[in-house]
Amino acid sequence: MLRSVFRLTRIIFTVLRFRLDALIPFDKLPWYLRYTVGMLCQIGRQRVIKNRGERLRLALESLGPIFVKFGQILSTRRDLLDDDIADELAKLQDKVPAFSGSTAQAIIERDLKAPVNELFAEFSATPLASASIAQVHTATLHSGEEVVVKVIRPNIEKTIRQDIGLLYTLAHFVAKSSSDGRRLRPVEVVTDYEYTILDELDLAKEAANTGLLQRNFTDSELLYVPQVYWDYCQKNVMVMERISGIPVADIKALNAAGTDMKCLAERGVEIFFTQVFSHSFFHADMHPGNIFVDVSNPQKPKYIAIDCAIMGSLDDADKNYLARNLLAFFQRDYRLVAELHVESGWVPKETPVHAFESAIRSVCEPMFAKPLKDISFGQVLIGLFQTARRFNMEVQPQLVLLEKTLLNIEGLGRQLYPDLDLWVTAKPFLERWMHQQMGPKRLLEEVRKQAPEWAGQMPKIPNLIFSALTQISHQEERMQTQTAAILELSKEVKKTRRGLPFRLLGLVSLGAAWLTISPDSLKHLQSADILSISLFLIGLYLLILKP
């Protein structure tokens, strides 16, 4: 807790130091925060330096990797940012201050347990690029292949865990402070982000992710993934093929090479939807610093992806829900959008669908008044989110990475080709995918998928059949026994019911005989005594002998 307080104090100090109050919408703050922040920001007002974009970039760099990541995401959203801020944040993608080459060399030698000159024929101590979590150096293997060596920043895990602790503190506070806070499920979101960013610190996992992504796009015309050299991969070090391409953010170089920018932008969207729906495994950190372009065929440019530390996946239920929701939105079927939200549990089951539908329509219809190419999917998500707040919609942590990546893709695509129509590119893909899920091809795939398991059970089938038949035979015997017992019991009940009047009459006869017989009846038989004895014998017969 104390560590979180110190970290929060540092964040506040950084905001004041770099005068980030210029970016705060004071008119939207509560009055007490408006005046408090305003008074605090008077500290150092005379020390205003540089422009606001540069101040924001420097502040994020000083706060560490989590904040740098946030800046990287923002840098791709030029439709939401002014150009001066977006241009500065773009420098966070691969121009984070580097650590020394000697430190990098020591980490490599410690993890790979050999001197650098034994591991590589050549090694450059000067970093090729430096990012928030790691930096890369160029090298050449003794076999002649040119490679890049990625090295984790020293002591970075301690800083990240401090920031995560602060985020948890803030998340618990937000969750307890209001119903809106609970609906946002901030603790679950932070937990998901913690899992993701800590994975970035393990380069062995990144190497495995890279290998899987490479297999998924083997011989693909859309995406190339560099080769991993597994003998040189450990937790803090990874070695992979050095690629050559134009950074995707270098628009001038791409245009100079004669690149078909429309094709390039559309291929980026296609790659994203292929990863999400066909592979269920997608690159979730696709900011421009991680993407290059192979323009050897400029009319059919090919993407090159690096840095596979953050990967996302969706299960079949999430994919089905997402595809149906997007298609319903494309078709302006707001009723179905509302029903899908209720069906999936995003909003409470008691939500009035007609009211939710009306609210969604009021947000989305004005957007469709514009040309599709001018509609921002990011703005649509923001509008839907604000609308759903009134209906207690909960954030779905498993889709946070997907939403972030989709926003990145749209921002990048609009940079490459401002007239990119995300809807036209995505809709046919989603329709094909939905058809595949419900068509005969999908059924055959499921049969083919289950075939090995079925084949493994084939030798057991005769024993299973014999066991089943034996159980059926024993069950029939038990049923016959139970049926016979039930019939016998039924007969007894019937006999009892049928004999009941006779037994009652027998009791009456015995009672009458007892009242009328005299002590001398057996010595001196009289007519009255004979009658009593007769009643006694009749009663005995009816009570004992009569069935």
Side-chain angles (χ1 to χ4, degrees):
M1 182 65 182
L2 187 60
R3 185 176 293 175
S4 295
V5 172
F6 282 130
R7 184 61 171 160
L8 181 59
T9 303
R10 183 186 172 189
I11 292 172
I12 294 172
F13 175 76
T14 302
V15 170
L16 300 177
R17 176 188 170 196
F18 290 97
R19 287 301 319 283
L20 299 185
D21 59 296
L23 303 175
I24 298 174
F26 279 90
D27 57 322
K28 297 182 179 178
L29 292 177
W31 67 269
Y32 52 89
L33 284 180
R34 185 163 61 246
Y35 287 107
T36 302
V37 174
M39 291 176 62
L40 288 173
C41 287
Q42 293 299 322
I43 303 172
R45 183 172 288 278
Q46 69 280 8
R47 298 178 56 202
V48 176
I49 57 170
K50 310 182 188 305
N51 61 59
R52 59 178 185 169
E54 189 171 1
R55 294 202 307 274
L56 177 59
R57 175 177 61 80
L58 292 172
L60 294 176
E61 285 181 358
S62 70
L63 288 172
I66 287 183
F67 295 88
V68 170
K69 282 287 179 187
F70 179 67
Q72 290 172 349
I73 294 169
L74 282 180
S75 70
T76 65
R77 296 300 298 164
R78 289 183 176 268
D79 56 323
L80 303 178
L81 298 175
D82 293 332
D83 288 341
D84 62 323
I85 295 177
D87 290 340
E88 281 296 328
L89 294 183
K91 297 177 182 179
L92 294 174
Q93 290 156 10
D94 57 1
K95 292 184 174 61
V96 178
F99 57 93
S100 69
S102 59
T103 301
Q105 184 171 328
I107 294 172
I108 294 169
E109 292 179 345
R110 182 194 66 203
D111 269 38
L112 298 184
K113 297 179 174 54
V116 164
N117 58 2
E118 290 184 12
L119 295 167
F120 308 105
E122 295 179 12
F123 177 81
S124 173
T126 303
L128 176 66
S130 182
S132 55
I133 301 293
Q135 67 186 32
V136 295
H137 296 256
T138 58
T140 304
L141 298 180
H142 289 292
S143 53
E145 294 98 332
E146 293 187 350
V147 297
V148 293
V149 184
K150 187 171 184 177
V151 186
I152 292 289
R153 286 181 174 273
N155 303 318
I156 192 67
E157 184 172 351
K158 180 180 178 181
T159 304
I160 287 177
R161 290 193 181 277
Q162 287 178 351
D163 286 345
I164 291 293
L166 174 60
L167 289 176
Y168 270 120
T169 301
L170 295 174
H172 283 293
F173 174 77
V174 170
K176 293 177 181 178
S177 63
S178 66
S179 58
D180 268 354
R182 289 187 292 275
R183 177 185 55 79
L184 292 172
R185 297 163 69 181
V187 177
E188 292 183 48
V189 172
V190 173
T191 300
D192 189 66
Y193 186 62
E194 177 186 23
Y195 175 81
T196 299
I197 198 165
L198 290 180
D199 266 2
E200 281 199 78
L201 302 179
D202 189 344
L203 293 182
K205 289 184 178 179
E206 180 178 341
N209 291 339
T210 304
L212 178 55
L213 188 64
Q214 183 186 43
R215 290 197 301 275
N216 287 343
F217 283 92
T218 301
D219 300 325
S220 170
E221 295 182 355
L222 301 175
L223 180 68
Y224 181 79
V225 181
Q227 177 185 350
V228 174
Y229 291 88
W230 296 101
D231 293 339
Y232 301 87
C233 293
Q234 293 295 330
K235 181 177 181 179
N236 296 296
V237 180
M238 183 176 82
V239 176
M240 61 190 302
E241 173 190 1
R242 184 178 182 181
I243 52 93
S244 60
I246 299 175
V248 73
D250 193 344
I251 307 298
K252 290 182 179 179
L254 290 172
N255 283 324
T259 307
D260 185 336
M261 302 300 279
K262 180 175 183 292
C263 177
L264 182 63
E266 290 176 348
R267 283 189 164 197
V269 176
E270 186 177 351
I271 289 170
F272 170 75
F273 282 98
T274 299
Q275 290 181 88
V276 171
F277 290 100
S278 297
H279 301 155
S280 299
F281 186 74
F282 60 92
H283 196 306
D285 197 20
M286 295 187 72
H287 64 76
N290 289 338
I291 304 172
F292 297 81
V293 182
D294 177 2
V295 292
S296 55
N297 183 355
Q299 297 308 305
K300 293 184 178 180
K302 188 174 186 176
Y303 282 90
I304 304 171
I306 62 171
D307 195 350
C308 298
I310 303 178
M311 306 297 290
S313 62
L314 297 179
D315 59 27
D316 288 341
D318 284 334
K319 287 191 296 184
N320 186 273
Y321 163 76
L322 182 66
R324 292 172 65 195
N325 225 318
L326 290 174
L327 284 173
F329 180 80
F330 290 142
Q331 296 159 359
R332 297 161 81 166
D333 186 350
Y334 306 122
R335 177 77 178 189
L336 181 56
V337 173
E339 289 174 347
L340 287 170
H341 275 70
V342 175
E343 177 186 322
S344 64
W346 278 38
V347 295
K349 295 295 183 185
E350 63 272 13
T351 299
V353 173
H354 64 282
F356 193 26
E357 174 194 2
S358 178
I360 294 173
R361 179 181 291 106
S362 66
V363 171
C364 297
E365 275 301 304
M367 296 181 181
F368 277 108
K370 305 176 184 179
L372 285 176
K373 67 181 182 62
D374 294 334
I375 298 176
S376 166
F377 190 74
Q379 295 290 357
V380 170
L381 282 181
I382 292 170
L384 286 175
F385 184 76
Q386 291 173 341
T387 301
R389 284 183 61 186
R390 292 167 25 211
F391 296 88
N392 299 316
M393 178 177 174
E394 293 187 349
V395 171
Q396 301 299 309
Q398 76 274 19
L399 296 180
V400 169
L401 273 181
L402 179 78
E403 293 171 358
K404 183 202 79 152
T405 306
L406 185 53
L407 292 174
N408 283 355
I409 290 295
E410 183 186 30
L412 177 61
R414 293 277 167 84
Q415 279 184 256
L416 297 172
Y417 184 67
D419 290 335
L420 172 67
D421 191 336
L422 184 69
W423 315 114
V424 169
T425 307
K427 184 179 177 181
F429 186 95
L430 292 173
E431 288 176 337
R432 285 197 307 271
W433 184 82
M434 288 298 294
H435 177 73
Q436 290 169 358
Q437 296 308 298
M438 296 181 291
K441 184 178 179 182
R442 174 68 174 182
L443 178 61
L444 291 175
E445 287 179 357
E446 287 298 319
V447 171
R448 210 165 25 240
K449 190 185 299 182
Q450 297 295 330
E453 183 177 349
W454 294 344
Q457 297 295 327
M458 287 293 287
K460 302 178 183 178
I461 288 179
N463 288 335
L464 291 173
I465 293 174
F466 177 77
S467 177
L469 292 175
T470 302
Q471 290 180 8
I472 292 172
S473 176
H474 290 164
Q475 190 170 1
E476 287 181 351
E477 291 176 0
R478 286 196 297 271
M479 288 180 66
Q480 289 174 358
T481 303
Q482 292 171 356
T483 302
I486 291 170
L487 291 174
E488 187 65 29
L489 180 61
S490 177
K491 289 179 181 179
E492 291 297 324
V493 170
K494 289 180 180 179
K495 285 181 180 180
T496 302
R497 287 179 177 175
R498 191 171 58 245
L500 186 59
F502 294 98
R503 287 181 171 80
L504 289 174
L505 185 58
L507 288 173
V508 172
S509 298
L510 287 175
W514 178 261
L515 293 173
T516 58
I517 194 169
S518 67
D520 299 326
S521 60
L522 295 177
K523 295 179 180 179
H524 306 285
L525 292 176
Q526 300 176 8
S527 59
D529 295 325
I530 293 172
L531 176 62
S532 298
I533 293 170
S534 299
L535 287 173
F536 176 81
L537 293 175
I538 292 171
L540 189 65
Y541 170 76
L542 292 173
L543 190 63
I544 298 175
L545 301 177
K546 185 67 179 175

